Amino acid sequence: MDAFPKSARPTPGQAALAQQLATGQADEGRGIARLPASLYTDPARFEDEQQSLFARLPLLLGPSAMLPRPREALAHDAYGTPLLVSRDGHGEVHVLANVCRHRGTRLVEAEGLVPAARIVCPYHAWAYQPDGALAALPRPECFPGLDKTEQSLRRFPAHESGGLIWFAHDDHADFSAVEALAPDMEAFGLGHLHLYRRRTHDVPANWKLIVDAFLESYHVQRLHAATIAPFFADGITVADRIGPHQRAAVGRTDYLTGIDRDDWGQLRRAVTYTYHFFPNTILIVSPDYVNLLVCQPQDVGRTLVENIMLIPEPPRTAEEEAHWARSWALLDEGTFGGEDFRAAALGQQGLASGLLDEITLGTLEHGIADFHALIGKALGD
C-alpha cells in the first residue's frame, strides 16, 4: 500500500540523506558527551522550558486530517490551555479559546469532531462562528451597548502547511521555520492522508526523555529486539537540520545501492525518515503509513504523548482493516507504548532517585546532545 503520490519526488535534502546512507556515511559524534541529570528532574528547569519554549514557539496540534471538512471543530487541552481548533466555511483553520466570552463557560465538552457552523455555549446559548466571531445571543436587549464585534473568542496564531496544523501562545511567534518544513511534508503527501487512529499515552517521564529516544539509533537493536529491530541496521543513521528541526534517515545500504534512488516509490520502501519538530514532536514516515508523536509536558515528570497514525485512505475491506490494525498494534502498543515510553519511565525513576549526577552519551547519541544544546540556547544557558 503506497502512501505517497506517484508524481511526488524527494526534496533535495531527502535525496541527499539517502545518498549518504547508500555510501555508508553514517553520522557519528566525535566523542563522549555528558549532560546533567537535573535537566530531567529540576522543577525550575521545567518552568524555564515552559516559558522559553512552550509559551513562545510554534507547537504542533496535529495533522490537517484531524479536521477533514469545513465547519468542524475539536477541543484540545493537552498544552494546558483550553483550545478549540476549527475550520470555517472556506476551510481555513482557526485556533480559539474554548471559553465563552459571556461567563467563561467551556464551549465544547465532547472529545472528537463536532459540527461548528455555530458553536453554541451550553449555559446561555451565546453562538459563535467557526472563526470565533460572536454571531448571536439570546435577549440581546439585556446587554445594552454591547458591541458584538468586540466579543469574539480569543484567537491564537494558527498556521497550516504541509498537511500539519500549528499554533502558538505568543501573538508574535515566528512560523518561518515551520513553513520551511512544508516541501518535505508535501513530498510525503501528508495533507492527503487519512487519520486512522489516535491515542494519548500518559507517560510518567520528563518530555525530553521521550524525545531523546527518537534522536539516536543506539537503542534500536537492544530495546526493540522483539518488534522492529529486524527492519533496521545497527547504528546506520544520517541526519541534517531544517532550521531548528532535525531530519534523519535510516535504511539498509545494501538495498539502497540496488535501487533507482530517483524513484520515490523505491526509495520510500528502502528508507525510513524521522523528523524532530523542535521542541516536542516526532514524525516517523514508514513505507506505507505515518506516525506523529506529540509530547505535551504536564509536569517535570509527566508527559501526555499523543500518537496519531495516518494511512493512504480509509480501509475499504476487512483485510485492509486487519492490515492497519496490526501495524497500529505493533507500534502503539508494542514499540512505542511497551518499549520507548516504558524505557522513558524507567529512566525517570532512576534519575529522580538522585543517584546519578549526569548521563553519558556515546557517538551514536550525539543528536541528543545537539537537542539539549538548542534548548540551552533558547533558555540563555
Side-chain angles (χ1 to χ4, degrees), residues 2-5 8-11 14 162 181-193 247-248 264 268 271-275 277 283-286 290:
D2 189 354
F4 310 102
R9 296 180 59 84
T11 64
Q14 291 166 337
L181 294 167
D184 276 40
M185 301 302 104
E186 289 165 0
F188 295 130
L190 207 67
H192 304 287
L193 302 184
R247 171 176 52 196
W264 192 217
R268 283 298 312 112
V271 177
T272 295
Y273 289 93
T274 300
Y275 292 74
F277 301 150
L283 175 84
I284 304 169
V285 187
S286 299
V290 173

PDB file of all heavy atoms in Angstrom, residues 2-5 8-11 14 162 181-193 247-248 264 268 271-275 277 283-286 290:
ATOM      1  N   ASP A   2       0.826   1.974  -1.078  1.00  0.00           N
ATOM      2  CA  ASP A   2       1.722   3.123  -1.240  1.00  0.00           C
ATOM      3  C   ASP A   2       1.042   4.381  -0.734  1.00  0.00           C
ATOM      4  O   ASP A   2       0.014   4.802  -1.236  1.00  0.00           O
ATOM      5  CB  ASP A   2       2.077   3.279  -2.717  1.00  0.00           C
ATOM      6  CG  ASP A   2       3.177   4.299  -2.939  1.00  0.00           C
ATOM      7  OD1 ASP A   2       3.574   4.952  -1.957  1.00  0.00           O
ATOM      8  OD2 ASP A   2       3.620   4.443  -4.087  1.00  0.00           O
ATOM      9  N   ALA A   3       1.640   4.998   0.307  1.00  0.00           N
ATOM     10  CA  ALA A   3       1.033   6.175   0.927  1.00  0.00           C
ATOM     11  C   ALA A   3       1.360   7.460   0.191  1.00  0.00           C
ATOM     12  O   ALA A   3       0.882   8.514   0.563  1.00  0.00           O
ATOM     13  CB  ALA A   3       1.490   6.296   2.376  1.00  0.00           C
ATOM     14  N   PHE A   4       2.171   7.394  -0.865  1.00  0.00           N
ATOM     15  CA  PHE A   4       2.709   8.610  -1.425  1.00  0.00           C
ATOM     16  C   PHE A   4       2.307   8.784  -2.882  1.00  0.00           C
ATOM     17  O   PHE A   4       2.283   7.828  -3.646  1.00  0.00           O
ATOM     18  CB  PHE A   4       4.224   8.614  -1.270  1.00  0.00           C
ATOM     19  CG  PHE A   4       4.621   8.304   0.143  1.00  0.00           C
ATOM     20  CD1 PHE A   4       5.073   7.051   0.488  1.00  0.00           C
ATOM     21  CD2 PHE A   4       4.435   9.248   1.137  1.00  0.00           C
ATOM     22  CE1 PHE A   4       5.380   6.757   1.805  1.00  0.00           C
ATOM     23  CE2 PHE A   4       4.743   8.956   2.445  1.00  0.00           C
ATOM     24  CZ  PHE A   4       5.211   7.716   2.775  1.00  0.00           C
ATOM     25  N   PRO A   5       1.975   9.996  -3.276  1.00  0.00           N
ATOM     26  CA  PRO A   5       1.538  10.237  -4.646  1.00  0.00           C
ATOM     27  C   PRO A   5       2.594   9.789  -5.650  1.00  0.00           C
ATOM     28  O   PRO A   5       3.786   9.975  -5.443  1.00  0.00           O
ATOM     29  CB  PRO A   5       1.348  11.761  -4.695  1.00  0.00           C
ATOM     30  CG  PRO A   5       1.187  12.181  -3.276  1.00  0.00           C
ATOM     31  CD  PRO A   5       1.997  11.217  -2.465  1.00  0.00           C
ATOM     32  N   ALA A   8       5.050  12.487  -6.809  1.00  0.00           N
ATOM     33  CA  ALA A   8       5.915  13.164  -5.841  1.00  0.00           C
ATOM     34  C   ALA A   8       7.366  12.747  -6.035  1.00  0.00           C
ATOM     35  O   ALA A   8       7.671  11.644  -6.499  1.00  0.00           O
ATOM     36  CB  ALA A   8       5.460  12.853  -4.423  1.00  0.00           C
ATOM     37  N   ARG A   9       8.264  13.631  -5.658  1.00  0.00           N
ATOM     38  CA  ARG A   9       9.689  13.354  -5.702  1.00  0.00           C
ATOM     39  C   ARG A   9      10.286  13.756  -4.359  1.00  0.00           C
ATOM     40  O   ARG A   9       9.762  14.634  -3.673  1.00  0.00           O
ATOM     41  CB  ARG A   9      10.372  14.139  -6.815  1.00  0.00           C
ATOM     42  CG  ARG A   9       9.927  13.774  -8.223  1.00  0.00           C
ATOM     43  CD  ARG A   9      10.671  14.604  -9.261  1.00  0.00           C
ATOM     44  NE  ARG A   9      12.110  14.411  -9.157  1.00  0.00           N
ATOM     45  CZ  ARG A   9      12.774  13.395  -9.741  1.00  0.00           C
ATOM     46  NH1 ARG A   9      12.095  12.493 -10.420  1.00  0.00           N
ATOM     47  NH2 ARG A   9      14.083  13.286  -9.614  1.00  0.00           N
ATOM     48  N   PRO A  10      11.387  13.127  -3.982  1.00  0.00           N
ATOM     49  CA  PRO A  10      12.044  13.562  -2.747  1.00  0.00           C
ATOM     50  C   PRO A  10      12.584  14.969  -2.908  1.00  0.00           C
ATOM     51  O   PRO A  10      12.963  15.384  -4.006  1.00  0.00           O
ATOM     52  CB  PRO A  10      13.181  12.543  -2.577  1.00  0.00           C
ATOM     53  CG  PRO A  10      13.446  12.031  -3.947  1.00  0.00           C
ATOM     54  CD  PRO A  10      12.110  12.033  -4.642  1.00  0.00           C
ATOM     55  N   THR A  11      12.611  15.713  -1.835  1.00  0.00           N
ATOM     56  CA  THR A  11      13.263  17.014  -1.868  1.00  0.00           C
ATOM     57  C   THR A  11      14.773  16.800  -1.970  1.00  0.00           C
ATOM     58  O   THR A  11      15.279  15.701  -1.701  1.00  0.00           O
ATOM     59  CB  THR A  11      12.946  17.816  -0.603  1.00  0.00           C
ATOM     60  OG1 THR A  11      13.501  17.122   0.534  1.00  0.00           O
ATOM     61  CG2 THR A  11      11.442  17.993  -0.419  1.00  0.00           C
ATOM     62  N   GLN A  14      16.054  15.308   1.284  1.00  0.00           N
ATOM     63  CA  GLN A  14      15.710  13.900   1.462  1.00  0.00           C
ATOM     64  C   GLN A  14      16.605  13.017   0.593  1.00  0.00           C
ATOM     65  O   GLN A  14      17.083  11.959   1.029  1.00  0.00           O
ATOM     66  CB  GLN A  14      14.236  13.681   1.117  1.00  0.00           C
ATOM     67  CG  GLN A  14      13.277  14.315   2.110  1.00  0.00           C
ATOM     68  CD  GLN A  14      11.853  14.391   1.584  1.00  0.00           C
ATOM     69  OE1 GLN A  14      11.613  14.370   0.376  1.00  0.00           O
ATOM     70  NE2 GLN A  14      10.896  14.498   2.495  1.00  0.00           N
ATOM     71  N   GLY A 162       1.839  22.026   4.633  1.00  0.00           N
ATOM     72  CA  GLY A 162       2.415  20.688   4.512  1.00  0.00           C
ATOM     73  C   GLY A 162       1.594  19.600   5.169  1.00  0.00           C
ATOM     74  O   GLY A 162       2.135  18.549   5.516  1.00  0.00           O
ATOM     75  N   LEU A 181       9.465  23.475   6.620  1.00  0.00           N
ATOM     76  CA  LEU A 181       9.238  22.031   6.607  1.00  0.00           C
ATOM     77  C   LEU A 181       8.277  21.592   5.509  1.00  0.00           C
ATOM     78  O   LEU A 181       8.222  20.412   5.149  1.00  0.00           O
ATOM     79  CB  LEU A 181       8.663  21.582   7.952  1.00  0.00           C
ATOM     80  CG  LEU A 181       9.548  21.710   9.188  1.00  0.00           C
ATOM     81  CD1 LEU A 181       8.714  21.529  10.448  1.00  0.00           C
ATOM     82  CD2 LEU A 181      10.672  20.675   9.138  1.00  0.00           C
ATOM     83  N   ALA A 182       7.512  22.538   4.974  1.00  0.00           N
ATOM     84  CA  ALA A 182       6.406  22.197   4.079  1.00  0.00           C
ATOM     85  C   ALA A 182       6.838  21.394   2.849  1.00  0.00           C
ATOM     86  O   ALA A 182       6.152  20.421   2.491  1.00  0.00           O
ATOM     87  CB  ALA A 182       5.659  23.467   3.664  1.00  0.00           C
ATOM     88  N   PRO A 183       7.928  21.731   2.152  1.00  0.00           N
ATOM     89  CA  PRO A 183       8.289  20.931   0.978  1.00  0.00           C
ATOM     90  C   PRO A 183       8.510  19.457   1.283  1.00  0.00           C
ATOM     91  O   PRO A 183       8.092  18.577   0.517  1.00  0.00           O
ATOM     92  CB  PRO A 183       9.572  21.602   0.475  1.00  0.00           C
ATOM     93  CG  PRO A 183       9.463  23.017   0.945  1.00  0.00           C
ATOM     94  CD  PRO A 183       8.799  22.923   2.282  1.00  0.00           C
ATOM     95  N   ASP A 184       9.153  19.164   2.418  1.00  0.00           N
ATOM     96  CA  ASP A 184       9.359  17.767   2.784  1.00  0.00           C
ATOM     97  C   ASP A 184       8.031  17.078   3.084  1.00  0.00           C
ATOM     98  O   ASP A 184       7.806  15.929   2.683  1.00  0.00           O
ATOM     99  CB  ASP A 184      10.269  17.666   4.011  1.00  0.00           C
ATOM    100  CG  ASP A 184      11.741  17.708   3.662  1.00  0.00           C
ATOM    101  OD1 ASP A 184      12.108  18.501   2.771  1.00  0.00           O
ATOM    102  OD2 ASP A 184      12.523  16.948   4.266  1.00  0.00           O
ATOM    103  N   MET A 185       7.144  17.768   3.791  1.00  0.00           N
ATOM    104  CA  MET A 185       5.854  17.173   4.124  1.00  0.00           C
ATOM    105  C   MET A 185       5.004  16.962   2.870  1.00  0.00           C
ATOM    106  O   MET A 185       4.301  15.953   2.734  1.00  0.00           O
ATOM    107  CB  MET A 185       5.101  18.062   5.117  1.00  0.00           C
ATOM    108  CG  MET A 185       5.834  18.318   6.430  1.00  0.00           C
ATOM    109  SD  MET A 185       6.267  16.817   7.355  1.00  0.00           S
ATOM    110  CE  MET A 185       8.048  16.698   7.011  1.00  0.00           C
ATOM    111  N   GLU A 186       5.098  17.905   1.940  1.00  0.00           N
ATOM    112  CA  GLU A 186       4.345  17.766   0.698  1.00  0.00           C
ATOM    113  C   GLU A 186       4.882  16.610  -0.148  1.00  0.00           C
ATOM    114  O   GLU A 186       4.124  15.930  -0.843  1.00  0.00           O
ATOM    115  CB  GLU A 186       4.401  19.084  -0.078  1.00  0.00           C
ATOM    116  CG  GLU A 186       3.586  20.187   0.581  1.00  0.00           C
ATOM    117  CD  GLU A 186       3.912  21.577   0.058  1.00  0.00           C
ATOM    118  OE1 GLU A 186       4.790  21.677  -0.848  1.00  0.00           O
ATOM    119  OE2 GLU A 186       3.326  22.552   0.549  1.00  0.00           O
ATOM    120  N   ALA A 187       6.185  16.363  -0.077  1.00  0.00           N
ATOM    121  CA  ALA A 187       6.746  15.219  -0.795  1.00  0.00           C
ATOM    122  C   ALA A 187       6.164  13.909  -0.288  1.00  0.00           C
ATOM    123  O   ALA A 187       5.990  12.954  -1.054  1.00  0.00           O
ATOM    124  CB  ALA A 187       8.270  15.208  -0.660  1.00  0.00           C
ATOM    125  N   PHE A 188       5.836  13.854   1.000  1.00  0.00           N
ATOM    126  CA  PHE A 188       5.204  12.669   1.571  1.00  0.00           C
ATOM    127  C   PHE A 188       3.691  12.633   1.330  1.00  0.00           C
ATOM    128  O   PHE A 188       3.031  11.660   1.701  1.00  0.00           O
ATOM    129  CB  PHE A 188       5.453  12.609   3.085  1.00  0.00           C
ATOM    130  CG  PHE A 188       6.892  12.435   3.467  1.00  0.00           C
ATOM    131  CD1 PHE A 188       7.471  13.270   4.411  1.00  0.00           C
ATOM    132  CD2 PHE A 188       7.675  11.449   2.902  1.00  0.00           C
ATOM    133  CE1 PHE A 188       8.799  13.112   4.783  1.00  0.00           C
ATOM    134  CE2 PHE A 188       9.002  11.286   3.260  1.00  0.00           C
ATOM    135  CZ  PHE A 188       9.571  12.120   4.197  1.00  0.00           C
ATOM    136  N   GLY A 189       3.140  13.696   0.747  1.00  0.00           N
ATOM    137  CA  GLY A 189       1.699  13.749   0.555  1.00  0.00           C
ATOM    138  C   GLY A 189       0.931  13.784   1.857  1.00  0.00           C
ATOM    139  O   GLY A 189      -0.197  13.289   1.949  1.00  0.00           O
ATOM    140  N   LEU A 190       1.509  14.413   2.877  1.00  0.00           N
ATOM    141  CA  LEU A 190       0.936  14.352   4.219  1.00  0.00           C
ATOM    142  C   LEU A 190      -0.479  14.929   4.278  1.00  0.00           C
ATOM    143  O   LEU A 190      -1.333  14.436   5.023  1.00  0.00           O
ATOM    144  CB  LEU A 190       1.849  15.103   5.189  1.00  0.00           C
ATOM    145  CG  LEU A 190       1.811  14.643   6.648  1.00  0.00           C
ATOM    146  CD1 LEU A 190       2.376  13.244   6.774  1.00  0.00           C
ATOM    147  CD2 LEU A 190       2.623  15.598   7.526  1.00  0.00           C
ATOM    148  N   GLY A 191      -0.726  15.968   3.486  1.00  0.00           N
ATOM    149  CA  GLY A 191      -2.032  16.610   3.529  1.00  0.00           C
ATOM    150  C   GLY A 191      -3.148  15.790   2.908  1.00  0.00           C
ATOM    151  O   GLY A 191      -4.321  16.167   3.014  1.00  0.00           O
ATOM    152  N   HIS A 192      -2.811  14.667   2.263  1.00  0.00           N
ATOM    153  CA  HIS A 192      -3.820  13.847   1.596  1.00  0.00           C
ATOM    154  C   HIS A 192      -4.088  12.534   2.331  1.00  0.00           C
ATOM    155  O   HIS A 192      -4.845  11.699   1.841  1.00  0.00           O
ATOM    156  CB  HIS A 192      -3.378  13.542   0.164  1.00  0.00           C
ATOM    157  CG  HIS A 192      -3.096  14.775  -0.642  1.00  0.00           C
ATOM    158  ND1 HIS A 192      -4.092  15.604  -1.111  1.00  0.00           N
ATOM    159  CD2 HIS A 192      -1.917  15.325  -1.038  1.00  0.00           C
ATOM    160  CE1 HIS A 192      -3.544  16.610  -1.772  1.00  0.00           C
ATOM    161  NE2 HIS A 192      -2.233  16.472  -1.736  1.00  0.00           N
ATOM    162  N   LEU A 193      -3.469  12.346   3.481  1.00  0.00           N
ATOM    163  CA  LEU A 193      -3.602  11.085   4.191  1.00  0.00           C
ATOM    164  C   LEU A 193      -4.838  11.076   5.096  1.00  0.00           C
ATOM    165  O   LEU A 193      -5.401  12.114   5.427  1.00  0.00           O
ATOM    166  CB  LEU A 193      -2.341  10.799   5.005  1.00  0.00           C
ATOM    167  CG  LEU A 193      -1.030  10.723   4.213  1.00  0.00           C
ATOM    168  CD1 LEU A 193       0.123  10.332   5.113  1.00  0.00           C
ATOM    169  CD2 LEU A 193      -1.146   9.758   3.042  1.00  0.00           C
ATOM    170  N   ARG A 247      16.091  16.363  10.605  1.00  0.00           N
ATOM    171  CA  ARG A 247      15.623  15.393   9.605  1.00  0.00           C
ATOM    172  C   ARG A 247      16.627  14.248   9.591  1.00  0.00           C
ATOM    173  O   ARG A 247      17.812  14.458   9.373  1.00  0.00           O
ATOM    174  CB  ARG A 247      15.541  16.050   8.228  1.00  0.00           C
ATOM    175  CG  ARG A 247      15.270  15.088   7.072  1.00  0.00           C
ATOM    176  CD  ARG A 247      15.117  15.843   5.751  1.00  0.00           C
ATOM    177  NE  ARG A 247      16.240  16.745   5.504  1.00  0.00           N
ATOM    178  CZ  ARG A 247      16.209  17.728   4.604  1.00  0.00           C
ATOM    179  NH1 ARG A 247      15.135  17.945   3.875  1.00  0.00           N
ATOM    180  NH2 ARG A 247      17.271  18.508   4.433  1.00  0.00           N
ATOM    181  N   ALA A 248      16.150  13.025   9.851  1.00  0.00           N
ATOM    182  CA  ALA A 248      17.037  11.866   9.910  1.00  0.00           C
ATOM    183  C   ALA A 248      16.513  10.761   9.002  1.00  0.00           C
ATOM    184  O   ALA A 248      15.334  10.726   8.651  1.00  0.00           O
ATOM    185  CB  ALA A 248      17.157  11.351  11.347  1.00  0.00           C
ATOM    186  N   TRP A 264      10.849   7.651  -6.307  1.00  0.00           N
ATOM    187  CA  TRP A 264      10.396   7.926  -4.941  1.00  0.00           C
ATOM    188  C   TRP A 264       9.754   6.699  -4.308  1.00  0.00           C
ATOM    189  O   TRP A 264       9.900   6.446  -3.125  1.00  0.00           O
ATOM    190  CB  TRP A 264       9.423   9.089  -4.995  1.00  0.00           C
ATOM    191  CG  TRP A 264       9.033   9.745  -3.685  1.00  0.00           C
ATOM    192  CD1 TRP A 264       7.794  10.228  -3.393  1.00  0.00           C
ATOM    193  CD2 TRP A 264       9.840  10.041  -2.540  1.00  0.00           C
ATOM    194  NE1 TRP A 264       7.779  10.807  -2.146  1.00  0.00           N
ATOM    195  CE2 TRP A 264       9.030  10.703  -1.588  1.00  0.00           C
ATOM    196  CE3 TRP A 264      11.180   9.808  -2.229  1.00  0.00           C
ATOM    197  CZ2 TRP A 264       9.493  11.127  -0.356  1.00  0.00           C
ATOM    198  CZ3 TRP A 264      11.652  10.235  -0.982  1.00  0.00           C
ATOM    199  CH2 TRP A 264      10.814  10.884  -0.064  1.00  0.00           C
ATOM    200  N   ARG A 268      11.184   5.147  -0.946  1.00  0.00           N
ATOM    201  CA  ARG A 268      10.361   5.111   0.255  1.00  0.00           C
ATOM    202  C   ARG A 268      10.292   3.720   0.875  1.00  0.00           C
ATOM    203  O   ARG A 268      10.147   3.576   2.081  1.00  0.00           O
ATOM    204  CB  ARG A 268       8.933   5.596  -0.085  1.00  0.00           C
ATOM    205  CG  ARG A 268       8.806   7.094  -0.242  1.00  0.00           C
ATOM    206  CD  ARG A 268       9.156   7.860   1.032  1.00  0.00           C
ATOM    207  NE  ARG A 268       8.480   7.273   2.162  1.00  0.00           N
ATOM    208  CZ  ARG A 268       9.081   6.630   3.141  1.00  0.00           C
ATOM    209  NH1 ARG A 268      10.398   6.517   3.165  1.00  0.00           N
ATOM    210  NH2 ARG A 268       8.372   6.108   4.109  1.00  0.00           N
ATOM    211  N   VAL A 271      13.924   3.439   2.803  1.00  0.00           N
ATOM    212  CA  VAL A 271      14.378   4.409   3.806  1.00  0.00           C
ATOM    213  C   VAL A 271      13.214   4.806   4.705  1.00  0.00           C
ATOM    214  O   VAL A 271      12.096   5.031   4.228  1.00  0.00           O
ATOM    215  CB  VAL A 271      14.947   5.688   3.130  1.00  0.00           C
ATOM    216  CG1 VAL A 271      15.340   6.725   4.174  1.00  0.00           C
ATOM    217  CG2 VAL A 271      16.138   5.335   2.254  1.00  0.00           C
ATOM    218  N   THR A 272      13.471   4.875   5.989  1.00  0.00           N
ATOM    219  CA  THR A 272      12.517   5.437   6.941  1.00  0.00           C
ATOM    220  C   THR A 272      13.038   6.797   7.384  1.00  0.00           C
ATOM    221  O   THR A 272      14.160   6.907   7.907  1.00  0.00           O
ATOM    222  CB  THR A 272      12.346   4.531   8.167  1.00  0.00           C
ATOM    223  OG1 THR A 272      11.764   3.295   7.753  1.00  0.00           O
ATOM    224  CG2 THR A 272      11.433   5.180   9.210  1.00  0.00           C
ATOM    225  N   TYR A 273      12.245   7.827   7.138  1.00  0.00           N
ATOM    226  CA  TYR A 273      12.600   9.186   7.539  1.00  0.00           C
ATOM    227  C   TYR A 273      11.938   9.505   8.882  1.00  0.00           C
ATOM    228  O   TYR A 273      10.769   9.182   9.101  1.00  0.00           O
ATOM    229  CB  TYR A 273      12.146  10.204   6.496  1.00  0.00           C
ATOM    230  CG  TYR A 273      12.941  10.173   5.214  1.00  0.00           C
ATOM    231  CD1 TYR A 273      12.524   9.398   4.134  1.00  0.00           C
ATOM    232  CD2 TYR A 273      14.119  10.910   5.077  1.00  0.00           C
ATOM    233  CE1 TYR A 273      13.247   9.366   2.949  1.00  0.00           C
ATOM    234  CE2 TYR A 273      14.849  10.885   3.900  1.00  0.00           C
ATOM    235  CZ  TYR A 273      14.409  10.104   2.837  1.00  0.00           C
ATOM    236  OH  TYR A 273      15.129  10.075   1.672  1.00  0.00           O
ATOM    237  N   THR A 274      12.702  10.162   9.735  1.00  0.00           N
ATOM    238  CA  THR A 274      12.189  10.616  11.029  1.00  0.00           C
ATOM    239  C   THR A 274      12.528  12.094  11.191  1.00  0.00           C
ATOM    240  O   THR A 274      13.665  12.503  10.923  1.00  0.00           O
ATOM    241  CB  THR A 274      12.810   9.823  12.191  1.00  0.00           C
ATOM    242  OG1 THR A 274      12.487   8.441  12.044  1.00  0.00           O
ATOM    243  CG2 THR A 274      12.277  10.309  13.531  1.00  0.00           C
ATOM    244  N   TYR A 275      11.540  12.865  11.629  1.00  0.00           N
ATOM    245  CA  TYR A 275      11.729  14.298  11.843  1.00  0.00           C
ATOM    246  C   TYR A 275      11.469  14.619  13.314  1.00  0.00           C
ATOM    247  O   TYR A 275      10.516  14.104  13.915  1.00  0.00           O
ATOM    248  CB  TYR A 275      10.764  15.118  10.988  1.00  0.00           C
ATOM    249  CG  TYR A 275      11.042  15.046   9.499  1.00  0.00           C
ATOM    250  CD1 TYR A 275      10.721  13.899   8.772  1.00  0.00           C
ATOM    251  CD2 TYR A 275      11.625  16.112   8.822  1.00  0.00           C
ATOM    252  CE1 TYR A 275      10.985  13.819   7.416  1.00  0.00           C
ATOM    253  CE2 TYR A 275      11.886  16.039   7.459  1.00  0.00           C
ATOM    254  CZ  TYR A 275      11.569  14.888   6.763  1.00  0.00           C
ATOM    255  OH  TYR A 275      11.823  14.808   5.423  1.00  0.00           O
ATOM    256  N   PHE A 277      10.402  17.815  15.164  1.00  0.00           N
ATOM    257  CA  PHE A 277       9.947  19.201  15.086  1.00  0.00           C
ATOM    258  C   PHE A 277      10.222  19.844  16.440  1.00  0.00           C
ATOM    259  O   PHE A 277       9.556  19.521  17.427  1.00  0.00           O
ATOM    260  CB  PHE A 277       8.452  19.269  14.764  1.00  0.00           C
ATOM    261  CG  PHE A 277       8.041  18.602  13.476  1.00  0.00           C
ATOM    262  CD1 PHE A 277       6.785  18.044  13.344  1.00  0.00           C
ATOM    263  CD2 PHE A 277       8.900  18.538  12.403  1.00  0.00           C
ATOM    264  CE1 PHE A 277       6.393  17.428  12.171  1.00  0.00           C
ATOM    265  CE2 PHE A 277       8.526  17.927  11.215  1.00  0.00           C
ATOM    266  CZ  PHE A 277       7.261  17.366  11.096  1.00  0.00           C
ATOM    267  N   LEU A 283       7.946  12.929  13.956  1.00  0.00           N
ATOM    268  CA  LEU A 283       7.224  12.408  12.805  1.00  0.00           C
ATOM    269  C   LEU A 283       8.037  11.243  12.242  1.00  0.00           C
ATOM    270  O   LEU A 283       9.219  11.406  11.926  1.00  0.00           O
ATOM    271  CB  LEU A 283       7.048  13.478  11.738  1.00  0.00           C
ATOM    272  CG  LEU A 283       6.409  13.015  10.425  1.00  0.00           C
ATOM    273  CD1 LEU A 283       4.895  13.034  10.549  1.00  0.00           C
ATOM    274  CD2 LEU A 283       6.847  13.888   9.250  1.00  0.00           C
ATOM    275  N   ILE A 284       7.406  10.083  12.117  1.00  0.00           N
ATOM    276  CA  ILE A 284       8.075   8.895  11.582  1.00  0.00           C
ATOM    277  C   ILE A 284       7.334   8.469  10.327  1.00  0.00           C
ATOM    278  O   ILE A 284       6.130   8.163  10.374  1.00  0.00           O
ATOM    279  CB  ILE A 284       8.084   7.744  12.606  1.00  0.00           C
ATOM    280  CG1 ILE A 284       8.734   8.203  13.915  1.00  0.00           C
ATOM    281  CG2 ILE A 284       8.815   6.527  12.040  1.00  0.00           C
ATOM    282  CD1 ILE A 284       8.549   7.241  15.067  1.00  0.00           C
ATOM    283  N   VAL A 285       8.042   8.448   9.207  1.00  0.00           N
ATOM    284  CA  VAL A 285       7.431   8.123   7.921  1.00  0.00           C
ATOM    285  C   VAL A 285       7.875   6.728   7.509  1.00  0.00           C
ATOM    286  O   VAL A 285       8.993   6.533   7.013  1.00  0.00           O
ATOM    287  CB  VAL A 285       7.805   9.158   6.850  1.00  0.00           C
ATOM    288  CG1 VAL A 285       7.018   8.897   5.565  1.00  0.00           C
ATOM    289  CG2 VAL A 285       7.522  10.570   7.348  1.00  0.00           C
ATOM    290  N   SER A 286       7.021   5.750   7.720  1.00  0.00           N
ATOM    291  CA  SER A 286       7.274   4.381   7.309  1.00  0.00           C
ATOM    292  C   SER A 286       6.850   4.208   5.848  1.00  0.00           C
ATOM    293  O   SER A 286       6.212   5.096   5.280  1.00  0.00           O
ATOM    294  CB  SER A 286       6.508   3.417   8.221  1.00  0.00           C
ATOM    295  OG  SER A 286       6.937   3.563   9.567  1.00  0.00           O
ATOM    296  N   VAL A 290       2.268   6.818   8.397  1.00  0.00           N
ATOM    297  CA  VAL A 290       2.997   7.872   9.101  1.00  0.00           C
ATOM    298  C   VAL A 290       2.515   7.911  10.542  1.00  0.00           C
ATOM    299  O   VAL A 290       1.316   7.776  10.810  1.00  0.00           O
ATOM    300  CB  VAL A 290       2.761   9.249   8.439  1.00  0.00           C
ATOM    301  CG1 VAL A 290       3.375  10.366   9.264  1.00  0.00           C
ATOM    302  CG2 VAL A 290       3.323   9.263   7.017  1.00  0.00           C
TER     303      VAL A 290
END
